[in-house]
Every structure is written in C-alpha cells, then in structure tokens.
C-alpha cells in the first residue's frame, strides 16, 4: 500500500501503476456524473452527437453535490459519493467509449467494470460515503456546469480539485477489487453467522 | 391556535438541524465502532465519518450531500392548528433554499425536478393524535443509498422467527457496502405489507441502543445486531467489525395467514429532528445532538 498524489489528466501509465489498496490524492479537473449523465452520454454517443465535456484521460465522480450560488459563482457545499452499483450496467461502455481513466464512488462495482478497468486502463477510487463536507474541501473551484436541466444532483459539475482524497484504489487495472475480496470473506463468515442466529 | 408562522419557522429549524447535526445516540454508536476496529481501512472510514460530522456542525453545513426526501411525523396534541400540510410544504421549500438542501424530489417517471423538494405527496406527512398539550413535529430526511436497499418479505407463518432472521441476513448480504454501512435496521414485523414497511421506518425514530420494551422483541434486536456484525462487511463495505450500528423493531398484530416483515435501512447519517410547539408559541427541541 502506497500513498500518491496524481494530477488529472491521468495517463494510462499513471493508473496502471496503482494497486488495489493504494491511497491517492488528486489535483485537477473532476467531472461529476451519475445515473442521468451515464444514460444521456451513452445515448448521445450512439446517435453520433457530441457531449459537452471531454472525459478522455479524465475522472468521473459518482456524485450529486449540493451547490450554492454566491453571486454569479457556484460554490460546492457538500459533495460525497453516491452508490456506484447503480451505474454497473453502464460503466463498462462508458469507460470504453469516453476513455475515462478513473471513476470515483462508493460501494464498489461489478465484474464487467473490473474487466473494463483491466482492458482499457481505468481505476475505481472509493471515497467515504457521506463524508460530504470533508470531501468538498478538496474542491477548489467550480469551473462550470453542463446539462443543468437534468437537475442539480444529475448535472455534470466541472470541479477543479486540489488534494481531493483520501481515495482508496478499490479496483485496479490488474483485475483486483477490494470489494470482491471483502465479498469472499463475508461469504466465508456466513455459516458462522447462521449458526449464531440458529438458522 | 399555534400561529402558522411559528410552525413554519420551527419546521425550517428542524430541517436545518436534521441536515447538519447528528443525534448523539448515532454519534456515540459510531465512536464505539471506531474504537472496536483494529484494521487500517475500517478505522480510516470511521475516522472520515466522525471528522465529517464535526466539520458539518462547525460549519453549519449538511453532513451528507444526499439530504434525502422528507418524511414527517406529526403528533397533534390538545392544541389548535391550521393548514399543516401547506405550512410543512412551504417550510421544506424554504429550507431547501436557506440550509441549503439538495433538491432531490423528482417525478417518478419523467424524472423532472421541481427544485424545491416539494412535489406530489412529498414531503410525506404522517399524522398521529395524542393527549399531549403540545404539537410535536418530527422529520427524518431519508437518503436513497440506504432506502434503495430496504426490503419487504411476505413470509408464511410457518417460517416464524427463523424466517425473520433469515430475511435479516439476506437483506444485509444483498445490501453489502451499498447503503453506506455502518447502517441501522428498522425492522417492522406484522400488520400488512404497507404497515410492516411503515413500522420499519417508525422504528428508526427510536434512539439507538434503546431496546423494545417487550423481551421477546428486544432479544431479536440483540441477536440480529450481534450476528450481522460478524459478517465482516464493515464500514463502506470495505471490511471490518462495524456493519450494523443498531436494530430497532416494532410490530403489529397481523392476519393469521401471514407474516409480513420489512427492513428499512438507515445509513450511518441517521438524521432526525424533533420540535414541540406549545399554544403560547414556545418551541422546544428535545433531541440531544452533537454540538
């Protein structure tokens, strides 16, 4: 386990050098995107339409922040991760189509995303769910918002981050997933738990 | 008559408090969890949670960006009130601006977001009546991460107590790290399908660690809590001893042919707030919260 500070855009080498369990802090642009962004972006790609931001070598954060307008400027109030598994069916294609190098979220993602991370050179960073005020401290500036019509939680917020973290590499490019490891341990514990419950 | 303006002010205040200050029972349970963990990853997760709770209080900021949809529990005592539905709706819209809260309430099919957290039947208001000499209004902001993992089972009576325990285990295995563990189980037993779900949510209003007054139910709460924590799912599903902070159960008599069981899952940010309003306009906030 090592601790690293990385700057976005991320290169394929940057992410392939990471191992599950490593701690990372990020600087640079991070885009928020959850259910609706994934659905819309993939629909746009299918229809050959442009999307408003370029995810290539970039970072997508499964996050629907609370934003507040201070004069003309948006300010990040709270910005924790949302449950990544809702994007399980969309993320592999999203990684392939848009060349995203890192996904930030919580709760982990399923096998097809682990495979896509391995194949296309992408990592999944886990950040503590609900720690939204602390995480917002890592957002230095809000550079803009796209697809605002999807609503505040579902829009693409363009965040300039500084020392965003700690992020734990939950899925690396070698097929490792901390969440899959925990799943195996949990499965092994089930008989003991059943016995304790008398079932 | 309690003035509508006083009720609205108090509702905005409980909405602000619930988003920014965690009740002490939840904070204490999280602190105990932190002390019980030995490995780096779960300790790091719980430390991040506890630091964030402190920072939210200090800055008066919502502790989680998912400020939920708003479930109200109104208990009308021997007092005169008027127009509660619209007063509560106005308070939710106002708090959404002033706290601020994230506008979460959308149309279920068009997904259109009115931006105010007010929509059809949302906020959802439960009304009860009492002989108290005050009006009591409680609010529970409910985030989707935990709500999405909540479940209902219509068991056959033959499944009995074992069936309930089996369902609790299945529910936690299905949820894994998704609902932001450590979580709380609101266990609703009996009634009908809708009553069981409602009891599960109502059970979450009870302070953590306060057991059901009936021994049989209290034992079930204890048993599920101890066993589930041996699963090793841990904080944020990244392994550890702290998966469940508590189990609170409520029950209702049910049809002789059925055994409905519901589990409403609450995340570590077990937010709730309460106000008591008296006819002279006095507002009391009885819940002990982190300062």
């Amino acid at each position: 386990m090592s601790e690293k500070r990385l700057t976005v855009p991320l290169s394929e080498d940057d992410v392939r050098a990471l191992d599950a369990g490593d701690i990372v802090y990020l600087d640079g642009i991070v885009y928020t995107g959850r259910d609706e962004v994934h659905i819309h972006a993939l629909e746009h790609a299918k229809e050959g339409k442009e999307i408003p931001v370029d995810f290539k070598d970039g970072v997508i954060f499964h996050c629907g922040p609370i934003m507040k307008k201070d004069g003309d400027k948006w300010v990040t109030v709270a910005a924790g991760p949302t449950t990544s598994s809702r994007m399980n069916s969309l993320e592999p294609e999203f990684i392939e189509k848009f060349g995203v190098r890192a996904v930030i979220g919580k709760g982990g993602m399923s096998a097809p995303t682990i495979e896509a991370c391995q194949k296309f050179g992408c990592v999944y960073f886990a950040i503590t769910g609900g720690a939204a005020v602390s995480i917002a401290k890592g957002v230095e500036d809000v550079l803009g918002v796209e697809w605002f019509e999807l609503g505040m939680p579902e829009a693409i917020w363009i965040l300039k981050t500084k020392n965003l973290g700690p992020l734990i590499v939950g899925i690396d490019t070698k097929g490792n997933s901390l969440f899959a490891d925990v799943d195996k341990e949990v499965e092994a514990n089930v008989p003991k738990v059943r016995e304790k419950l008398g079932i | 008559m309690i003035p509508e303006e006083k009720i609205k002010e108090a509702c905005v205040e409980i909405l602000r408090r619930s988003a920014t200050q965690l009740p002490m029972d939840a904070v204490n349970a999280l602190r105990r969890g932190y002390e019980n963990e030995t490995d780096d990853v779960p300790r790091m997760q719980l430390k991040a949670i506890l630091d964030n709770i402190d920072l939210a209080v200090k800055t008066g900021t919502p502790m989680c960006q998912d400020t939920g949809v708003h479930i109200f529990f109104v208990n009308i005592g021997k007092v005169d009130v008027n127009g509660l539905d619209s007063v509560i709706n106005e308070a939710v819209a106002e708090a959404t601006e002033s706290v601020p809260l994230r506008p979460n309430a959308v149309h279920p099919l068009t997904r259109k977001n009115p931006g105010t957290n007010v929509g059809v039947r949302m906020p959802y208001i439960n009304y009860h009546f009492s002989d108290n000499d005050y009006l009591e209004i409680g609010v529970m902001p409910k985030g989707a991460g935990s709500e999405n993992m909540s479940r209902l089972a219509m068991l056959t009576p033959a499944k009995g107590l074992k069936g309930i325990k089996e369902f609790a285990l299945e529910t936690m295995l299905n949820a894994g790290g998704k609902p932001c563990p450590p979580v709380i189980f609101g266990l609703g037993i009996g009634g009908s399908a809708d009553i069981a779900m409602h009891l599960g949510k109502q059970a979450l209003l009870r302070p953590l660690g306060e057991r059901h007054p009936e021994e049989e139910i209290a034992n079930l709460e204890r048993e599920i809590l101890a066993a589930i924590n041996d699963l090793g799912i841990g904080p944020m599903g990244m392994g550890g001893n702290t998966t469940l902070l508590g189990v609170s159960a409520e029950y209702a008599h049910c049809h002789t042919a059925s055994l409905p069981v519901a589990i409403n899952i609450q995340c570590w940010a077990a937010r709730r707030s309460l106000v008591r309003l008296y006819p002279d306009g006095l507002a009391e906030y009885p819940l002990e919260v982190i300062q």
Side-chain angles (χ1 to χ4, degrees):
Chain A
M1 189 174 108
S2 71
E3 204 169 302
K4 279 188 181 160
R5 192 150 171 180
L6 294 175
T7 304
V8 190
L10 302 170
S11 70
E12 183 162 358
D13 288 347
D14 283 338
V15 298
R16 290 214 181 264
L18 296 171
D19 291 305
D22 285 352
I23 308 283
V24 173
Y25 290 85
L26 280 183
D27 298 302
I29 307 290
V30 166
Y31 301 112
T32 68
R34 37 188 273 162
D35 312 60
E36 297 290 337
V37 167
H38 283 76
I39 295 166
H40 275 66
L42 289 172
E43 272 172 12
H44 273 59
K46 205 182 250 173
E47 293 163 7
K49 286 198 278 191
E50 291 274 306
I51 59 168
V53 299
D54 185 7
F55 286 106
K56 179 91 182 85
D57 297 325
V59 179
I60 186 163
F61 183 10
H62 294 160
C63 169
I66 302 178
M67 294 295 195
K68 163 175 94 177
K69 215 154 194 189
D70 188 8
D72 289 345
K73 193 95 193 103
W74 286 103
V75 180
T76 311
V77 176
T82 194
T83 312
S84 297
S85 64
R86 288 201 315 276
M87 275 61 78
N88 272 342
S89 63
L90 305 163
E91 206 68 76
E93 200 186 341
F94 195 92
I95 292 169
E96 182 180 357
K97 283 251 158 68
F98 301 112
V100 58
R101 289 277 171 230
V103 177
I104 307 174
K106 73 170 175 86
M109 300 196 76
S110 61
T113 298
I114 300 173
E115 283 161 27
C117 282
Q118 206 168 359
K119 195 166 163 194
F120 303 109
C122 178
V123 289
Y124 175 83
F125 291 126
I127 195 161
T128 309
V133 193
S134 305
I135 297 168
K137 280 174 75 185
V139 179
E140 206 180 24
D141 199 3
V142 182
L143 301 185
V145 57
E146 298 288 348
W147 286 352
F148 189 63
E149 63 277 15
L150 297 175
M152 186 192 285
E154 302 290 344
I156 302 175
W157 293 95
I158 305 167
L159 309 178
K160 188 178 171 217
T161 67
K162 191 177 178 185
N163 214 19
L164 181 74
L167 306 159
I168 303 180
V169 178
I171 298 170
D172 64 18
T173 56
K174 294 136 198 161
N176 301 309
S177 160
L178 291 186
F179 296 92
D181 293 348
V182 171
D183 282 350
K184 272 181 221 146
E185 283 166 36
V186 170
E187 212 176 296
N189 288 332
V190 167
K192 183 176 75 185
V193 172
R194 298 189 81 91
E195 198 184 320
K196 205 163 171 177
L197 286 170
I199 56 175
Chain B
M1 179 88 74
I2 305 177
E4 283 178 36
E5 200 46 43
K6 286 272 179 212
I7 301 174
K8 191 172 122 185
E9 254 171 49
C11 286
V12 172
E13 181 58 16
I14 55 172
L15 286 159
R16 187 187 68 76
R17 287 180 187 226
S18 64
T20 57
Q21 311 169 333
L22 202 61
M24 242 9 248
D25 57 299
V27 176
N28 288 333
L30 285 163
R31 285 178 181 162
R32 277 195 300 276
Y34 178 68
E35 280 156 23
N36 285 338
E37 294 289 357
T38 47
D39 289 352
D40 285 348
V41 173
R43 279 180 73 83
M44 184 179 151
Q45 296 304 316
L46 287 169
K47 172 132 198 332
I49 288 170
L50 288 164
D51 288 350
N52 183 69
I53 291 168
D54 284 338
L55 197 58
V57 174
K58 264 186 217 136
T59 56
T61 309
M63 66 193 82
C64 178
Q65 79 290 339
D66 186 353
T67 47
V69 290
H70 296 97
I71 317 296
F72 280 83
F73 295 85
V74 176
N75 205 323
I76 303 172
K78 290 185 280 190
V79 291
D80 274 350
V81 288
N82 197 18
L84 274 179
D85 276 350
S86 55
V87 168
I88 290 173
N89 282 355
E90 282 167 29
V92 167
E94 190 178 313
T96 300
E97 279 286 319
S98 66
V99 176
L101 307 173
R102 194 175 70 180
N104 284 325
V106 302
H107 185 284
L109 294 182
T110 66
R111 312 307 290 179
K112 203 170 156 15
N113 192 331
T116 54
N117 280 315
V118 179
V120 175
R121 297 198 172 90
M122 196 56 75
Y124 194 81
I125 310 167
N126 295 280
Y127 288 105
H128 300 274
F129 298 93
S130 76
D131 288 336
N132 298 326
D133 54 358
Y134 51 79
L135 165 70
E136 189 174 78
I137 304 177
V139 67
M140 182 193 286
K142 196 62 172 60
S146 57
E147 192 71 7
N148 284 348
M149 296 296 123
S150 299
R151 293 161 95 221
L152 169 75
M154 298 303 286
L155 302 178
T156 56
K159 297 276 184 197
L161 200 55
K162 280 189 179 181
I164 296 172
K165 294 182 201 171
E166 181 82 49
F167 179 61
L169 173 61
E170 275 170 21
T171 300
M172 196 65 234
L173 288 173
N174 172 65
K178 296 190 277 287
C180 275
V183 295
I184 302 159
F185 274 3
L187 180 62
I189 309 170
S192 56
D194 57 319
I195 296 169
M197 288 289 350
H198 175 72
L199 290 173
K201 185 150 274 143
Q202 203 179 314
L204 294 172
L205 295 171
R206 199 200 302 159
L208 277 174
E210 192 181 304
R211 296 271 70 95
H212 192 277
E214 292 177 36
E215 203 49 33
E216 206 176 359
I217 306 288
N219 283 339
L220 180 64
E221 292 172 343
R222 282 190 199 100
E223 213 181 330
I224 292 174
L225 178 61
I228 295 290
N229 275 324
D230 283 352
L231 278 175
I233 293 171
M236 294 302 137
M238 302 186 85
N241 310 320
T242 323
T243 302
L244 260 185
L245 291 177
V247 178
S248 297
E250 294 292 340
Y251 77 92
H253 278 68
C254 62
H255 193 288
T256 182
S258 61
L259 175 53
V261 189
I263 295 180
N264 196 237
I265 299 188
Q266 177 64 294
C267 58
W268 65 256
R271 292 156 288 179
R272 60 188 201 280
S273 190
L274 195 67
V275 64
R276 287 177 189 155
L277 284 151
Y278 293 85
D280 61 2
L282 176 76
E284 247 178 28
Y285 299 89
L287 218 59
E288 196 198 343
V289 296
I290 187 167
Q291 298 294 331

